[in-house]
Amino acid sequence: MSEAVRNRCLEPFFTTKGERGTGLGLAMVYGMVQRHSAELEIHSEAGAGTTVRLIFPIAATSAVGGRRQPMRSHSDGCAS
């Protein structure tokens, strides 16, 4: 996507699809990212594609079955 499109792609109702697009997809993702204190990165190269990366903070505990349980860290850096 062009730099101009990348700068606006998270705006509600912004679309490059004309009448068949609502412009709500990335705007909804961005809202969810904000609610979860996460980050969103967009990397795009014309003709090569676009990568959208969502980065969520690791919580100290997780709710499982109504009980709070400590998070476990996997060797790949992901938490469960």
Side-chain angles (χ1 to χ4, degrees), residues 8-35:
R8 295 194 59 207
C9 69
L10 301 176
E11 295 177 13
F13 308 110
F14 176 77
T15 182
T16 59
K17 296 180 182 178
E19 288 188 25
R20 63 187 182 104
T22 63
L24 292 175
L26 285 177
M28 290 176 63
V29 169
Y30 184 60
M32 186 248 338
V33 164
Q34 288 181 312
R35 283 190 303 277

Side-chain angles (χ1 to χ4, degrees), residues 28-41 53-60:
M28 290 176 63
V29 169
Y30 184 60
M32 186 248 338
V33 164
Q34 288 181 312
R35 283 190 303 277
H36 292 281
S37 301
E39 297 177 32
L40 186 142
E41 294 177 354
R53 184 175 176 196
L54 305 176
I55 305 162
F56 290 89
I58 297 176

